[in-house]
Amino acid sequence: MISRAAVMLMSAAAEKLGLAAADPDTAPERDLDEARRLITALAGLVTASVEYLGPHAGPLRDGLQTLQRAFRESSAYPDAPGQGPGEKYTGPVY
């Protein structure tokens, strides 16, 4: 159930970053404020439940970091390292 919730958050965050569109910058679904919230929720879930995720922990962490980097690249004014979405749970993502 935890993995399923994480994948749902991951998919929703990718959609809000516009990653499903041909041009993420003009995607009608793009909403960086909502993406920040989803990524932070995902980071909290993955961090809090890492001991229960078993072999799924690594891929979920990798997906989370990919979303965090995509958020940084999408932002007109990127957050300082350690201040991005979910980074208070995961540490800085560069």
Side-chain angles (χ1 to χ4, degrees):
M1 190 56 147
I2 295 170
S3 295
R4 187 179 309 164
V7 170
M8 287 175 53
L9 287 169
M10 202 175 283
S11 295
E15 182 179 330
K16 293 301 177 180
L17 286 171
L19 298 179
D23 182 10
D25 293 330
T26 61
E29 303 85 11
R30 185 174 165 150
D31 182 345
L32 294 182
D33 186 49
E34 187 68 20
R36 176 184 294 277
R37 293 174 191 180
L38 291 163
I39 293 168
T40 300
L42 175 63
L45 176 63
V46 171
T47 301
S49 58
V50 72
E51 66 183 288
Y52 306 113
L53 295 173
H56 303 287
L60 288 173
R61 280 194 202 135
D62 292 344
L64 171 58
Q65 286 183 351
T66 299
L67 289 169
Q68 288 172 312
R69 285 188 192 102
F71 184 91
R72 184 175 302 284
E73 291 171 9
S74 297
S75 297
Y77 304 101
D79 298 311
Q83 301 299 310
E87 291 183 11
K88 71 179 179 181
Y89 301 113
T90 64
V93 176
Y94 300 97

